[in-house]
Amino acid sequence: MAPPPPSPPRSLTSVSLRTPLSPLLFLRPASCNPSAVSGSCSSGACRGVRCSAANKPSPSTAPGTEVSSTSMAKIRSEVLSPFRSVRMFFYLAFMASAGLGALIALTQLIPALSSPARAAAAGETLKGLGIDVAAVSVFAFLYWRESKAKDAQVAKLTREENLSRLRIRAGEGRPPVPLGELRGTARLVIVAGPAAFVTESFRRSKPFLKDLMERGVLVVPFSTDGNAPDLQFDEADEEEEEAAAAAGKMKRRLWQLTPVYTSEWAKWLDEQKKLANVSPDSPVYLSLRLDGRVRGSGVGYPPWQAFVAQLPPVKGMWSGLLDGMDGRVL
């Protein structure tokens, strides 16, 4: 009996290793990208795939692979102002109705002015034409105002979406994740300026570290001069950690976020300073709400004490009830 024909060789199957990102600080391990083969993985579980650890943006953020910032901003604009489209539709309908009435009145007015027999009705027709023209003007103004407000809101939300796609790293050895991954779990404060400014901001925040952590505040220090800020606790803080290790760990988490791909951060900050007519060299801070929208910004040191007074805690009986009470957006 002839031996059975050999089975065809199995082809490698692309494996998608995706682990959902836990909120806040419990970040996923480095993800594996099946798009190419590389021998840089030391773990046997990643054979046949490539572990993405290069200092470059993830392929998932490449143009055309996700919803653009502008499209997402338009969706959020519809959610934030659900009745704006309805109002704009009715404004257009009223404009069309008044314009049609004005056209009919104009066709009646021309013969009335040219014929002495119809001159008596010319005054009433002229009055109706004036009302229709005034109505068209009013509704056109209302439509223009709504359209302008919509464009301004979409532009602001687009900038916020671009901010949410900037990447950070929570501690050494952690993979970079988009800033938007912390929406709903943390109130971020971005401190951008020279290393000395960041260090002084850190020093000023130390009396309020515990209160800031209770309010879900996390700081993203961004040194614009390329130097590393000194974010070390002094001896008194170390002694406090020995007395209360859990509280000490929470305090250290407040300043553990680190921006990655700093050229993208610098570009975004320069655009915001230009829009706000702020000098490019000025140190600034930005405070974000839980939903990721900008609730406050300014030149100089962040007002830590004001944050403690204004923001509600995110734990205990206040959790969930006051999540949106972060103050109005800018």
Side-chain angles (χ1 to χ4, degrees):
M1 178 182 296
S7 58
R10 291 185 177 181
S11 59
L12 291 178
T13 303
S14 298
V15 181
S16 176
L17 302 179
R18 293 189 178 182
T19 304
L21 177 67
S22 300
L24 200 55
L25 299 172
F26 300 96
L27 303 176
R28 63 185 177 187
S31 60
C32 293
N33 183 4
S35 60
V37 177
S38 173
S40 60
C41 282
S42 58
S43 172
C46 289
R47 292 177 182 175
V49 294
R50 182 184 65 182
C51 288
S52 177
N55 188 23
K56 60 182 180 180
S58 171
S60 62
T61 61
T65 59
E66 63 176 11
V67 180
S68 66
S69 299
T70 303
S71 300
M72 185 60 69
K74 290 180 179 179
I75 296 174
R76 291 182 61 194
S77 178
E78 292 292 335
V79 174
L80 295 173
S81 303
F83 299 108
R84 174 176 287 147
S85 298
V86 178
R87 291 195 300 267
M88 295 179 71
F89 170 79
F90 279 110
Y91 292 157
L92 287 176
F94 293 152
M95 286 171 57
S97 177
L100 181 60
L103 181 61
I104 295 174
L106 186 62
T107 58
Q108 295 175 351
L109 181 62
I110 294 176
L113 294 177
S114 61
S115 174
R118 302 180 181 178
E124 191 67 22
T125 304
L126 186 61
K127 180 180 178 181
L129 177 62
I131 294 175
D132 290 334
V133 171
V136 170
S137 302
V138 169
F139 289 118
F141 169 75
L142 293 176
Y143 182 86
W144 171 82
R145 188 177 64 175
E146 287 285 356
S147 179
K148 185 177 180 180
K150 179 181 179 180
D151 293 341
Q153 185 181 48
V154 169
K156 176 175 173 53
L157 292 175
T158 300
R159 295 194 297 270
E160 292 178 353
E161 281 297 321
N162 290 333
L163 172 63
S164 70
R165 301 186 183 202
L166 298 179
R167 294 184 169 261
I168 56 174
R169 179 178 285 112
E172 293 294 333
R174 299 285 189 176
V177 296
L179 203 67
E181 293 288 352
L182 298 182
R183 278 179 179 169
T185 59
R187 297 181 173 106
L188 299 178
V189 177
I190 301 172
V191 180
F197 167 78
V198 177
T199 302
E200 179 62 18
S201 299
F202 168 75
R203 188 189 67 81
R204 296 189 179 199
S205 73
K206 290 167 75 172
F208 311 101
L209 288 178
K210 182 178 179 182
D211 294 327
L212 291 172
M213 287 301 304
E214 290 177 353
R215 286 153 178 79
V217 175
L218 292 179
V219 184
V220 183
F222 177 54
S223 178
T224 57
D225 59 1
N227 298 323
D230 183 13
L231 305 181
Q232 298 297 325
F233 286 82
D234 54 27
E235 295 180 357
D237 293 315
E238 296 294 342
E239 294 176 0
E240 181 182 356
E241 288 185 15
E242 293 177 1
K249 290 180 180 179
M250 292 295 290
K251 291 180 180 181
R252 287 188 178 278
R253 289 181 182 178
L254 182 69
W255 285 81
Q256 77 165 345
L257 301 180
T258 305
V260 295
Y261 316 129
T262 55
S263 60
E264 298 178 7
W265 280 84
K267 180 181 178 181
W268 188 88
L269 284 170
D270 289 342
E271 291 176 354
Q272 307 317 302
K273 290 180 180 180
K274 184 177 180 180
L275 290 173
N277 295 322
V278 175
S279 171
D281 299 330
S282 299
V284 296
Y285 74 89
L286 289 92
S287 171
L288 307 185
R289 305 197 322 176
L290 276 174
D291 59 3
R293 304 192 66 187
V294 178
R295 67 174 296 271
S297 62
V299 178
Y301 299 106
W304 303 115
Q305 187 173 4
F307 292 160
V308 172
Q310 296 169 2
L311 298 175
V314 295
K315 293 183 178 180
M317 64 177 294
W318 303 109
S319 179
L321 178 63
L322 298 178
D323 283 353
M325 303 297 292
D326 295 272
R328 67 182 184 87
V329 297
L330 294 181

